[in-house]
């Protein structure tokens, strides 16, 4: 008979959090001022001129759970939902936004697009949705082509910025303006976000503080008998109560081996468990932070303690090198030296390093090992774990860390052995050492930093890097 593990657990989350308070005061910065967006627009238009563009067309689609598919519109005009922003290169010509072309039900607030004159509602249409002929993507392309033509740009060079959700739109636009030259140019916006302004850093600092609040709440409730759902919920409730924008940007991993990068499924915490809180994305006004923390429940194995110590020491070694002018390669290699000394690795070079999701040495696909792995909480739900994850030992990634930016953005740089760039004041990034040995030991631990004039600020300092310990009888 299929049963559900700990079915009544969700009813006690209020009691678990009843006496929780974070141990520091949260600083909640106001939205970025208009002049910051005006300066961005000035720089974007200048970059467009240098590239020979007569206008830029910036597209953000809509993806699951009512999220924009990229961060470009929020960065340019603080618009949170899908849209197409038309930016003439000439400073005396207005910005126009096309939006409301998906079935998303989100309406402002939050959000009023800054610097934009006209907003056109395209409307989601089609036979099934509204019993009307037409296609919203085609209609959006038609309106965009009409506006560009009205600006005298029918045969101009147009810079395109977006992601794969824009492919059908781009194709339609190009077919409607066959005399124009279209050039993909995402780097115009990506380059602007490598170094952050003082006001942006306030946003990153707030996002990191939300992570610390959520982490302290998770520590508050974590104990034997509590489920991974309750720990995840405690983290989510705490950080969102203080203004976090999403509850879906992080992972929790719990088992006797220390496997991380998971989602809750009903695991009941037991003595000997290793718990990882891998916070990939907690968002404050569009800006994110990232950290990773470990929790040990009762006694763990000697091998697990060795892995935890090596990873923790690695972050601390790397942190000591953070300052303007430091070589990213040196920071990366300093962290992996700890693993080399412990016999976990032979080299810090990414090209030679084993990592959890690596293909075979020849670049071919790697077969996930088939093996029954006992998991009583999963089996209580009528399922069995029949493969071993991860497929191979090593760090989760063959590098130490990466830049941190806006929600939906790609990393502008990685802290890796092959990165010979130097740190600059205003760079924001995470350093996380990770190591997993299938069915044996694992750790994922790290902090979020901003480079200052004379060193760094640890944005996630409100919770210690060291493994949080819970007594097995707690």
């Amino acid at each position: 008979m299929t049963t559900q593990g700990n079915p009544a657990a969700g009813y006690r989350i209020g009691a678990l959090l009843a006496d929780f308070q974070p141990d520091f005061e949260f600083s909640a910065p106001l939205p970025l001022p208009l002049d910051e967006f005006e300066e961005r627009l000035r720089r974007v238009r200048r970059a467009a001129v240098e590239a020979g563009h007569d206008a830029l067309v910036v597209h953000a689609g809509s993806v699951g759970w009512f999220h924009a598919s990229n961060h470009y519109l929020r960065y340019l005009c603080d618009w949170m939902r899908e849209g197409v922003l038309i930016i003439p290169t000439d400073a005396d010509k207005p910005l126009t936004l096309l939006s409301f072309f998906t079935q998303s039900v989100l309406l402002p607030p939050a959000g009023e697009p800054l610097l934009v004159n006209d907003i056109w509602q395209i409307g989601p249409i089609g036979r099934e949705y509204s019993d009307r002929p037409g296609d919203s993507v085609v209609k959006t392309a038609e309106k965009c082509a009409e506006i560009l033509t009205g600006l005298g740009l029918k045969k101009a060079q147009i810079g395109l910025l977006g992601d794969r959700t824009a492919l059908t739109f781009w194709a339609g636009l190009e077919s409607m303006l066959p005399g124009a030259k279209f050039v993909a140019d995402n780097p115009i916006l990506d380059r602007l976000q490598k170094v952050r302004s003082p006001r942006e850093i306030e946003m990153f600092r707030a996002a990191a503080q939300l992570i610390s609040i959520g982490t302290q709440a998770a520590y508050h409730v974590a104990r034997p008998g509590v489920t991974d759902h309750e720990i995840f919920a405690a983290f989510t409730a705490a950080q969102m109560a203080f203004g976090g924008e999403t509850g879906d940007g992080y992972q929790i991993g719990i088992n006797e081996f220390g496997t991380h990068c998971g989602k809750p499924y009903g695991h009941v915490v037991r003595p000997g468990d290793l718990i990882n809180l891998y916070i990939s994305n907690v968002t404050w006004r569009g800006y994110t932070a990232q950290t990773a923390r470990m929790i040990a429940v009762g006694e763990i194995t000697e091998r697990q303690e060795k892995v935890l110590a090596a990873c923790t020491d690695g972050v601390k070694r790397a942190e000591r090198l953070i300052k303007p002018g430091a070589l990213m390669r040196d920071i990366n290699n300093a962290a992996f030296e700890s693993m080399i000394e412990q016999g976990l690795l032979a080299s810090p070079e990414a090209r030679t390093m084993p990592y959890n999701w690596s293909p075979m040495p020849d670049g071919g696909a790697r077969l996930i090992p088939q093996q029954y792995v006992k998991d009583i909480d999963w089996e209580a739900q009528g399922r069995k774990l029949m493969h071993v994850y991860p497929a191979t030992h090593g760090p989760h990634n063959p590098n130490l860390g990466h830049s941190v930016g806006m929600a939906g953005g790609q990393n502008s740089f990685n802290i890796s052995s092959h990165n010979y760039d130097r740190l600059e004041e205003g760079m924001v990034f995470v350093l996380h050492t990770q190591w997993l040995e299938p069915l044996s030991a694992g750790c994922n631990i790290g902090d979020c930093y901003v480079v200052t004039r004379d060193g760094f600020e640890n944005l996630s300092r409100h919770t210690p890097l060291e493994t949080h310990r819970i007594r097995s009888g707690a």
Side-chain angles (χ1 to χ4, degrees):
M1 177 180 178
T2 300
T3 61
Q4 183 180 12
N6 206 358
Y11 292 103
R12 65 187 181 191
I13 187 63
L16 290 171
L17 282 172
D19 58 346
F20 170 72
Q21 289 289 336
D23 65 7
F24 65 95
E25 185 174 344
F26 174 61
S27 301
L30 293 172
L32 294 173
L34 177 62
D35 59 11
E36 184 126 350
F37 289 93
E38 291 173 335
E39 174 61 15
R40 290 176 183 176
L41 178 59
R42 182 195 68 79
R43 296 175 67 188
V44 165
R45 277 178 156 154
R46 179 57 194 162
V49 168
E50 292 173 343
H53 304 321
D54 299 297
L56 298 175
V57 175
V58 185
H59 179 282
S62 184
V63 292
W65 299 290
F66 308 111
H67 290 287
S69 62
N70 62 58
H71 66 291
Y72 289 149
L73 294 185
R74 193 155 197 195
Y75 180 76
L76 286 169
C77 64
D78 207 18
W79 186 243
M80 291 181 68
R81 58 174 293 161
E82 90 292 333
V84 173
L85 183 65
I86 302 169
I87 307 174
T89 300
D90 295 329
D92 60 345
K93 294 181 179 177
L95 276 58
T96 302
L97 179 65
L98 315 178
S99 190
F100 305 101
F101 51 74
T102 73
Q103 297 176 25
S104 171
V105 297
L106 299 182
L107 292 170
E112 168 68 10
L114 303 178
L115 309 175
V116 171
N117 283 39
D118 294 331
I119 307 173
W120 291 88
Q121 177 170 302
I122 304 302
I125 57 175
R127 284 299 182 188
E128 177 62 29
Y129 178 75
S130 64
D131 195 22
R132 300 180 186 184
D135 179 277
S136 297
V137 175
V138 174
K139 293 293 185 182
T140 306
E142 287 176 351
K143 189 61 183 179
C144 185
E146 176 188 320
I147 292 171
L148 290 171
T149 299
L151 291 168
L153 302 177
K154 190 174 183 178
K155 297 183 178 181
Q157 178 172 305
I158 311 297
L160 304 179
L161 295 87
D163 56 38
R164 67 187 64 185
T165 65
L167 294 178
T168 304
F169 171 76
W170 297 146
L173 185 60
E174 291 183 34
S175 70
M176 296 169 193
L177 294 176
K181 179 182 179 181
F182 293 94
V183 179
D185 208 349
N186 283 18
I188 281 184
L189 286 184
D190 294 338
R191 284 191 297 266
L192 289 181
Q193 298 181 67
K194 193 171 184 180
V195 174
R196 298 295 180 168
S197 73
R199 283 300 306 274
E200 286 183 291
I201 290 169
E202 291 182 20
M203 304 295 168
F204 288 111
R205 185 179 294 115
Q209 289 181 1
L210 290 178
I211 290 177
S212 293
I213 289 171
T215 300
Q216 290 184 12
Y219 290 171
H220 186 79
V221 305
R223 68 197 67 161
V226 167
T227 68
D228 53 2
H229 284 296
E230 292 173 308
I231 297 172
F232 197 83
F235 184 103
T236 301
Q239 65 95 358
M240 294 190 75
F242 281 84
E245 291 181 343
T246 177
D248 190 45
Y250 35 92
Q251 299 84 45
I252 182 172
I254 309 180
N255 59 29
E256 61 187 295
F257 312 120
T259 302
H260 53 72
C261 297
K263 288 291 187 181
Y265 67 94
H267 180 92
V268 179
V269 177
R270 297 176 178 85
D273 276 349
L274 278 171
I275 306 173
N276 174 241
L277 298 174
Y278 187 18
I279 313 305
S280 300
N281 174 11
V282 163
T283 308
W284 175 264
R285 301 191 186 279
Y287 287 82
T288 69
Q290 186 173 138
T291 71
R293 292 292 186 267
M294 294 297 298
I295 305 172
V297 184
E299 298 295 322
I300 58 176
T301 70
E302 183 178 341
R303 182 67 178 181
Q304 290 169 346
E305 292 286 7
K306 182 176 184 177
V307 169
L308 290 172
C311 290
T312 305
D313 183 45
V315 174
K316 292 181 176 180
R317 292 190 190 195
E319 179 185 274
R320 289 195 286 266
L321 300 182
I322 300 173
K323 64 179 180 180
L327 202 65
M328 294 190 190
R329 170 185 167 85
D330 291 343
I331 294 170
N332 176 86
N333 292 2
F336 284 112
E337 284 299 323
S338 176
M339 294 186 180
I340 293 171
E341 291 172 7
Q342 294 293 334
L344 303 179
L345 279 177
S347 169
E349 300 297 330
R351 185 175 298 174
T352 66
M353 188 181 297
Y355 60 100
N356 295 153
W357 308 117
S358 61
M360 296 299 288
D362 64 357
R366 182 185 295 272
L367 182 66
I368 303 291
Q370 295 186 27
Q371 177 183 325
Y372 166 67
V373 179
K374 185 177 181 179
D375 189 318
I376 61 176
D377 299 311
W378 191 230
E379 292 175 22
Q381 301 171 50
R383 299 293 186 90
K384 284 187 177 181
L385 192 59
M386 299 301 297
H387 290 81
V388 177
Y389 306 97
T392 187
H393 74 281
H396 188 62
N397 310 304
N399 53 57
L400 175 61
H402 52 80
S403 65
V404 174
M406 298 186 72
Q410 297 297 313
N411 300 336
S412 60
F413 60 85
N414 283 297
I415 308 293
S416 184
S417 63
H418 56 281
N419 189 341
Y420 287 83
D421 282 346
R422 297 189 181 277
L423 293 182
E424 301 176 49
E425 181 183 356
M427 286 183 170
V428 182
F429 54 87
V430 62
L431 300 181
H432 43 36
T433 49
Q434 305 166 337
W435 186 265
L436 270 180
E437 297 170 359
L439 308 185
S440 174
C443 179
N444 177 16
I445 203 160
D447 276 325
C448 194
Y449 302 91
V450 57
V451 182
T452 61
R453 181 177 302 177
D454 56 359
F456 67 89
E457 178 186 349
N458 183 341
L459 299 177
S460 45
R461 62 189 179 276
H462 294 289
T463 54
L465 184 70
E466 288 76 13
T467 300
H468 182 71
R469 307 283 177 164
I470 296 176
R471 290 181 289 108
S472 59

